[in-house]
Amino acid sequence: MHFPLAGVDANPIFLVLWGVFIGYVFTSVGAAGGILAGVGHMSIFGLKNANMVKPMNQILTLVTPIVGTPLYFRERRVVIPTAIVLGLGGIIGALIGSTLSHSLLKDMATFKPFFGIVTLGISFRIAYECTNKFINSQKKVKQANDNFAKKVKELSEQGKLNEIKEIGVKFQKTGIKNSFTFSGEEFTYNAIVVFIAGLLVAILSASLGVGGGFLLVPFMTSILGFPMYIVAGTSTLSILVSSSTSILNYLSMGSSLDLTFLAFELAGVAIGTVVAARLSKYINARYMKMFLGVLLFYIGLKYFLPVFGINI
């Protein structure tokens, strides 16, 4: 099938299958959905317009936030003050990143190496998350996760899931210094640090045309020390805000979208998101991350090494 705006021929079934893969990885690992979307657009399907690729990547990463955010709110798994501060930084960062990228990284010759070096960095981060050192450092986070999961299961079996508000996020103090409790554990953070992080992550993610989960998730788990149960909801809301801002800015600057092409991919991402929600608990997350780390390492080298005349 020919897609005139994208300027490529592609099998719709393959577009759906690639979308399934993106949705599964993004939902189960919580990162790299936008990176994989970019790889598909540039290397598998052959799109040549960098400023078309970027917003199309980000649209694919919005499926999970749109579907997941209401669920996270219902289960009280969103630290709202954190999400708001991240979102404010994200709006500013998304405008800066997309504006700079639209003019400075408008050609594939400059965009691909930039995409590659960041992808290499992500692969190293994912590799670190597979080490025993990192896993052991997350004991407090894991305890809060386990406590929450156990209590949710008990409430569900008793038909009292409405009582989840008693163990979900409870705000203790807001301002520059913030604190909240989750599943009996107390967590504190500095709002200024969160704002700066949201700003910087959005600049980079908007310039790449990705969601930013690959940076927000480790920032919130490793630096802020938040449990993954609330990191997922809080980062998802922030990504929804910053990615939407970036997409709209790209479009306002003249970027175009092939909506028919996107429709097939979005159908696949939606399927992959549902599949991951049902199957991810049966698949070892560490092995999944190892596979993703190796894949991203190869992709990063493939896009970056040509700068030095090396092709793989």
Side-chain angles (χ1 to χ4, degrees), residues 223-237:
I223 297 178
L224 298 183
F226 287 5
M228 184 55 73
Y229 263 93
I230 56 177
V231 165
T234 306
S235 63
T236 292
L237 180 58

Side-chain angles (χ1 to χ4, degrees), residues 27-298:
T27 302
S28 59
V29 178
I35 295 293
L36 294 176
V39 172
H41 288 149
M42 293 185 289
S43 296
I44 296 178
F45 302 113
L47 274 66
K48 304 298 182 185
N49 186 337
N51 283 331
M52 174 183 283
V53 166
K54 299 166 197 172
M56 286 179 65
N57 291 350
Q58 291 188 304
I59 287 175
L60 294 185
T61 65
L62 284 181
V63 174
T64 298
I66 290 173
V67 172
T69 297
L71 173 64
Y72 294 134
F73 268 112
R74 187 164 63 249
E75 295 186 353
R76 298 181 69 87
R77 290 167 57 184
V78 180
V79 186
I80 296 176
T82 307
I84 291 174
V85 175
L86 280 172
L88 291 173
I91 290 173
I92 299 171
L95 291 172
I96 294 172
S98 55
T99 300
L100 292 176
S101 183
H102 191 270
S103 59
L104 300 178
L105 300 173
K106 60 184 178 181
D107 300 316
M108 284 295 184
T110 53
F111 179 62
K112 273 191 173 182
F114 178 65
F115 192 93
I117 193 66
V118 175
T119 302
L120 279 174
I122 298 170
S123 72
F124 293 141
R125 171 66 200 186
I126 291 176
Y128 170 66
E129 290 182 6
C130 294
T131 64
N132 289 328
K133 179 181 179 181
F134 175 80
I135 294 172
N136 291 334
S137 71
Q138 300 295 295
K139 287 183 178 179
K140 179 182 177 182
V141 172
K142 185 177 185 301
Q143 185 61 52
N145 285 343
D146 291 345
N147 291 344
F148 184 77
K150 181 180 178 180
K151 191 63 178 179
V152 168
K153 183 178 179 181
E154 291 175 358
L155 291 174
S156 179
E157 291 173 347
Q158 297 169 8
K160 300 178 180 179
L161 203 55
N162 61 307
E163 295 180 14
I164 199 170
K165 61 184 179 181
E166 298 301 323
I167 59 170
V169 174
K170 289 184 178 180
F171 310 118
Q172 303 294 313
K173 180 181 178 182
T174 57
I176 299 300
K177 296 286 187 178
N178 293 268
S179 66
F180 65 92
T181 60
F182 175 77
S183 193
E185 298 282 348
E186 184 172 356
F187 301 88
T188 61
Y189 66 93
N190 187 303
I192 295 177
V193 172
V194 171
F195 175 83
I196 294 173
L199 175 72
L200 297 178
V201 168
I203 289 175
L204 183 59
S205 58
S207 63
L208 281 171
V210 298
F214 64 93
L215 288 173
L216 281 178
V217 170
F219 166 72
M220 295 177 71
T221 55
S222 299
I223 297 178
L224 298 183
F226 287 5
M228 184 55 73
Y229 263 93
I230 56 177
V231 165
T234 306
S235 63
T236 292
L237 180 58
S238 173
I239 290 170
L240 180 61
V241 172
S242 61
S243 292
S244 298
T245 302
S246 176
I247 292 166
L248 292 174
N249 197 39
Y250 274 117
L251 294 178
S252 72
M253 292 184 291
S255 293
S256 57
L257 305 172
D258 192 315
L259 297 180
T260 306
F261 188 99
L262 272 172
F264 288 110
E265 290 186 299
L266 286 169
V269 172
I271 295 170
T273 299
V274 173
V275 171
R278 294 183 178 275
L279 298 183
S280 59
K281 60 184 176 182
Y282 300 111
I283 298 176
N284 189 298
R286 190 177 185 182
Y287 293 153
M288 184 68 183
K289 283 189 174 183
M290 287 179 179
F291 163 73
L292 183 61
V294 171
L295 178 62
L296 294 183
F297 181 73
Y298 170 76

